[in-house]
mmCIF file of all heavy atoms in Angstrom:
data_model
loop_
_atom_site.group_PDB
_atom_site.id
_atom_site.type_symbol
_atom_site.label_atom_id
_atom_site.label_comp_id
_atom_site.label_asym_id
_atom_site.label_seq_id
_atom_site.Cartn_x
_atom_site.Cartn_y
_atom_site.Cartn_z
ATOM 1 N N ILE A 4 96.699 26.137 -82.871
ATOM 2 C CA ILE A 4 97.306 24.819 -83.094
ATOM 3 C C ILE A 4 96.359 24.019 -83.987
ATOM 4 O O ILE A 4 95.151 24.185 -83.927
ATOM 5 C CB ILE A 4 97.530 24.055 -81.762
ATOM 6 C CG1 ILE A 4 98.201 22.715 -82.032
ATOM 7 C CG2 ILE A 4 96.237 23.853 -80.992
ATOM 8 C CD1 ILE A 4 98.634 21.985 -80.775
ATOM 9 N N SER A 43 109.310 37.923 -111.194
ATOM 10 C CA SER A 43 108.982 38.031 -112.613
ATOM 11 C C SER A 43 109.836 37.015 -113.384
ATOM 12 O O SER A 43 110.687 36.348 -112.792
ATOM 13 C CB SER A 43 109.237 39.457 -113.100
ATOM 14 O OG SER A 43 108.431 40.386 -112.396
ATOM 15 N N LEU A 59 102.104 29.335 -121.900
ATOM 16 C CA LEU A 59 101.870 30.426 -120.957
ATOM 17 C C LEU A 59 100.710 30.153 -120.015
ATOM 18 O O LEU A 59 100.516 30.900 -119.047
ATOM 19 C CB LEU A 59 101.605 31.732 -121.710
ATOM 20 C CG LEU A 59 102.789 32.327 -122.469
ATOM 21 C CD1 LEU A 59 102.359 33.583 -123.216
ATOM 22 C CD2 LEU A 59 103.939 32.657 -121.520
ATOM 23 N N PRO A 111 104.178 43.064 -120.019
ATOM 24 C CA PRO A 111 105.005 42.452 -121.057
ATOM 25 C C PRO A 111 106.195 43.338 -121.424
ATOM 26 O O PRO A 111 106.077 44.555 -121.523
ATOM 27 C CB PRO A 111 104.036 42.318 -122.239
ATOM 28 C CG PRO A 111 103.077 43.456 -122.072
ATOM 29 C CD PRO A 111 102.948 43.684 -120.589
ATOM 30 N N ILE A 176 130.563 50.948 -126.595
ATOM 31 C CA ILE A 176 130.016 52.077 -125.843
ATOM 32 C C ILE A 176 129.503 53.151 -126.801
ATOM 33 O O ILE A 176 128.358 53.608 -126.703
ATOM 34 C CB ILE A 176 131.074 52.659 -124.883
ATOM 35 C CG1 ILE A 176 131.372 51.664 -123.755
ATOM 36 C CG2 ILE A 176 130.615 53.999 -124.310
ATOM 37 C CD1 ILE A 176 132.499 52.083 -122.837
ATOM 38 N N ALA A 205 124.928 43.573 -119.105
ATOM 39 C CA ALA A 205 125.328 42.430 -118.292
ATOM 40 C C ALA A 205 126.536 42.781 -117.432
ATOM 41 O O ALA A 205 127.243 43.766 -117.672
ATOM 42 C CB ALA A 205 125.639 41.235 -119.176
ATOM 43 N N ASN A 206 126.785 41.921 -116.456
ATOM 44 C CA ASN A 206 127.856 42.159 -115.487
ATOM 45 C C ASN A 206 129.166 41.559 -115.996
ATOM 46 O O ASN A 206 129.797 40.728 -115.345
ATOM 47 C CB ASN A 206 127.464 41.545 -114.138
ATOM 48 C CG ASN A 206 128.344 42.036 -113.010
ATOM 49 O OD1 ASN A 206 129.161 42.920 -113.190
ATOM 50 N ND2 ASN A 206 128.171 41.442 -111.832
ATOM 51 N N PRO A 227 114.660 59.965 -123.333
ATOM 52 C CA PRO A 227 113.593 59.309 -122.583
ATOM 53 C C PRO A 227 113.988 57.897 -122.165
ATOM 54 O O PRO A 227 114.425 57.090 -122.984
ATOM 55 C CB PRO A 227 112.428 59.290 -123.573
ATOM 56 C CG PRO A 227 113.067 59.337 -124.926
ATOM 57 C CD PRO A 227 114.314 60.154 -124.762
ATOM 58 N N ILE A 233 119.450 45.883 -116.180
ATOM 59 C CA ILE A 233 120.750 45.239 -115.991
ATOM 60 C C ILE A 233 120.538 43.730 -115.858
ATOM 61 O O ILE A 233 119.429 43.254 -115.591
ATOM 62 C CB ILE A 233 121.495 45.789 -114.753
ATOM 63 C CG1 ILE A 233 120.567 45.837 -113.524
ATOM 64 C CG2 ILE A 233 122.070 47.149 -115.026
ATOM 65 C CD1 ILE A 233 121.217 46.415 -112.285
ATOM 66 N N MET A 252 127.307 49.620 -107.775
ATOM 67 C CA MET A 252 128.037 50.379 -108.785
ATOM 68 C C MET A 252 127.088 51.225 -109.616
ATOM 69 O O MET A 252 127.299 52.428 -109.813
ATOM 70 C CB MET A 252 128.834 49.432 -109.680
ATOM 71 C CG MET A 252 129.673 50.131 -110.761
ATOM 72 S SD MET A 252 128.793 50.543 -112.297
ATOM 73 C CE MET A 252 128.595 48.900 -112.999
ATOM 74 N N VAL A 267 115.820 47.721 -113.078
ATOM 75 C CA VAL A 267 115.065 46.506 -113.347
ATOM 76 C C VAL A 267 116.038 45.440 -113.843
ATOM 77 O O VAL A 267 116.825 45.698 -114.762
ATOM 78 C CB VAL A 267 113.955 46.750 -114.389
ATOM 79 C CG1 VAL A 267 113.332 45.424 -114.829
ATOM 80 C CG2 VAL A 267 112.879 47.678 -113.832
ATOM 81 N N ASP A 381 122.514 22.097 -94.689
ATOM 82 C CA ASP A 381 122.708 20.721 -95.152
ATOM 83 C C ASP A 381 122.041 19.680 -94.261
ATOM 84 O O ASP A 381 122.234 18.473 -94.462
ATOM 85 C CB ASP A 381 124.211 20.405 -95.256
ATOM 86 C CG ASP A 381 124.907 21.238 -96.323
ATOM 87 O OD1 ASP A 381 124.233 21.563 -97.319
ATOM 88 O OD2 ASP A 381 126.097 21.556 -96.157
ATOM 89 N N TYR A 403 101.912 23.165 -97.053
ATOM 90 C CA TYR A 403 102.517 22.636 -98.282
ATOM 91 C C TYR A 403 104.013 22.440 -98.056
ATOM 92 O O TYR A 403 104.662 23.203 -97.317
ATOM 93 C CB TYR A 403 102.330 23.625 -99.439
ATOM 94 C CG TYR A 403 100.906 23.953 -99.787
ATOM 95 C CD1 TYR A 403 100.279 25.066 -99.237
ATOM 96 C CD2 TYR A 403 100.185 23.178 -100.691
ATOM 97 C CE1 TYR A 403 98.971 25.396 -99.568
ATOM 98 C CE2 TYR A 403 98.882 23.490 -101.035
ATOM 99 C CZ TYR A 403 98.279 24.600 -100.465
ATOM 100 O OH TYR A 403 96.995 24.921 -100.799
ATOM 101 N N ILE A 405 107.859 21.594 -100.131
ATOM 102 C CA ILE A 405 108.727 21.358 -101.286
ATOM 103 C C ILE A 405 110.062 20.852 -100.738
ATOM 104 O O ILE A 405 110.685 21.519 -99.904
ATOM 105 C CB ILE A 405 108.982 22.645 -102.092
ATOM 106 C CG1 ILE A 405 107.686 23.237 -102.627
ATOM 107 C CG2 ILE A 405 109.954 22.367 -103.237
ATOM 108 C CD1 ILE A 405 107.882 24.616 -103.253
ATOM 109 N N GLY A 415 112.895 12.763 -107.835
ATOM 110 C CA GLY A 415 112.441 11.387 -107.720
ATOM 111 C C GLY A 415 111.074 11.213 -107.095
ATOM 112 O O GLY A 415 110.646 10.078 -106.865
ATOM 113 N N ILE A 439 111.721 20.664 -91.139
ATOM 114 C CA ILE A 439 112.037 21.048 -92.518
ATOM 115 C C ILE A 439 113.342 20.367 -92.900
ATOM 116 O O ILE A 439 114.377 20.626 -92.292
ATOM 117 C CB ILE A 439 112.190 22.568 -92.694
ATOM 118 C CG1 ILE A 439 110.988 23.323 -92.124
ATOM 119 C CG2 ILE A 439 112.371 22.911 -94.177
ATOM 120 C CD1 ILE A 439 111.098 24.839 -92.287
ATOM 121 N N PHE A 485 102.970 50.637 -107.126
ATOM 122 C CA PHE A 485 101.560 50.523 -107.462
ATOM 123 C C PHE A 485 101.314 49.157 -108.077
ATOM 124 O O PHE A 485 101.952 48.782 -109.069
ATOM 125 C CB PHE A 485 101.105 51.612 -108.430
ATOM 126 C CG PHE A 485 99.615 51.615 -108.631
ATOM 127 C CD1 PHE A 485 98.794 52.298 -107.753
ATOM 128 C CD2 PHE A 485 99.031 50.897 -109.663
ATOM 129 C CE1 PHE A 485 97.409 52.274 -107.900
ATOM 130 C CE2 PHE A 485 97.651 50.859 -109.825
ATOM 131 C CZ PHE A 485 96.839 51.555 -108.929
ATOM 132 N N TRP A 490 94.991 47.314 -107.983
ATOM 133 C CA TRP A 490 94.804 48.765 -107.932
ATOM 134 C C TRP A 490 95.120 49.301 -106.526
ATOM 135 O O TRP A 490 94.356 50.066 -105.940
ATOM 136 C CB TRP A 490 93.385 49.155 -108.368
ATOM 137 C CG TRP A 490 93.172 48.949 -109.832
ATOM 138 C CD1 TRP A 490 92.715 47.825 -110.447
ATOM 139 C CD2 TRP A 490 93.437 49.886 -110.893
ATOM 140 N NE1 TRP A 490 92.673 47.993 -111.813
ATOM 141 C CE2 TRP A 490 93.106 49.252 -112.115
ATOM 142 C CE3 TRP A 490 93.913 51.208 -110.921
ATOM 143 C CZ2 TRP A 490 93.241 49.880 -113.355
ATOM 144 C CZ3 TRP A 490 94.047 51.835 -112.152
ATOM 145 C CH2 TRP A 490 93.722 51.173 -113.349
ATOM 146 N N VAL A 509 95.815 56.476 -115.524
ATOM 147 C CA VAL A 509 94.543 55.792 -115.736
ATOM 148 C C VAL A 509 93.802 56.453 -116.892
ATOM 149 O O VAL A 509 93.669 57.688 -116.920
ATOM 150 C CB VAL A 509 93.662 55.868 -114.473
ATOM 151 C CG1 VAL A 509 92.363 55.092 -114.687
ATOM 152 C CG2 VAL A 509 94.404 55.370 -113.252
ATOM 153 N N GLN A 526 103.231 58.927 -88.054
ATOM 154 C CA GLN A 526 103.274 59.882 -86.958
ATOM 155 C C GLN A 526 102.846 61.253 -87.444
ATOM 156 O O GLN A 526 103.325 61.742 -88.468
ATOM 157 C CB GLN A 526 104.696 59.968 -86.384
ATOM 158 C CG GLN A 526 105.214 58.651 -85.829
ATOM 159 C CD GLN A 526 106.648 58.746 -85.357
ATOM 160 O OE1 GLN A 526 107.199 59.843 -85.231
ATOM 161 N NE2 GLN A 526 107.257 57.601 -85.093
ATOM 162 N N PHE A 558 99.725 67.694 -93.356
ATOM 163 C CA PHE A 558 99.974 68.518 -94.549
ATOM 164 C C PHE A 558 100.631 69.817 -94.124
ATOM 165 O O PHE A 558 100.105 70.550 -93.287
ATOM 166 C CB PHE A 558 98.650 68.807 -95.276
ATOM 167 C CG PHE A 558 98.793 69.760 -96.441
ATOM 168 C CD1 PHE A 558 99.530 69.411 -97.557
ATOM 169 C CD2 PHE A 558 98.189 71.011 -96.405
ATOM 170 C CE1 PHE A 558 99.661 70.280 -98.629
ATOM 171 C CE2 PHE A 558 98.314 71.897 -97.463
ATOM 172 C CZ PHE A 558 99.052 71.524 -98.581
ATOM 173 N N THR A 584 88.882 56.457 -93.191
ATOM 174 C CA THR A 584 89.861 55.598 -93.871
ATOM 175 C C THR A 584 89.315 55.057 -95.188
ATOM 176 O O THR A 584 90.087 54.631 -96.039
ATOM 177 C CB THR A 584 90.278 54.432 -92.965
ATOM 178 O OG1 THR A 584 89.101 53.730 -92.547
ATOM 179 C CG2 THR A 584 91.014 54.959 -91.732
ATOM 180 N N GLU A 592 83.535 66.794 -110.033
ATOM 181 C CA GLU A 592 83.353 68.033 -109.261
ATOM 182 C C GLU A 592 84.434 69.059 -109.570
ATOM 183 O O GLU A 592 84.160 70.257 -109.656
ATOM 184 C CB GLU A 592 83.338 67.707 -107.771
ATOM 185 C CG GLU A 592 83.116 68.931 -106.893
ATOM 186 C CD GLU A 592 83.090 68.585 -105.410
ATOM 187 O OE1 GLU A 592 83.140 67.370 -105.068
ATOM 188 O OE2 GLU A 592 83.036 69.514 -104.591
ATOM 189 N N SER A 619 107.347 54.182 -91.348
ATOM 190 C CA SER A 619 105.929 54.479 -91.570
ATOM 191 C C SER A 619 105.531 53.991 -92.954
ATOM 192 O O SER A 619 106.299 54.092 -93.908
ATOM 193 C CB SER A 619 105.669 55.980 -91.428
ATOM 194 O OG SER A 619 106.531 56.746 -92.259
#
Side-chain angles (χ1 to χ4, degrees):
I4 182 172
S43 299
L59 291 177
I176 291 174
N206 194 7
I233 48 182
M252 182 275 288
V267 171
D381 295 329
Y403 300 94
I405 300 172
I439 308 180
F485 188 85
W490 289 90
V509 183
Q526 300 176 12
F558 174 65
T584 55
E592 182 179 354
S619 53

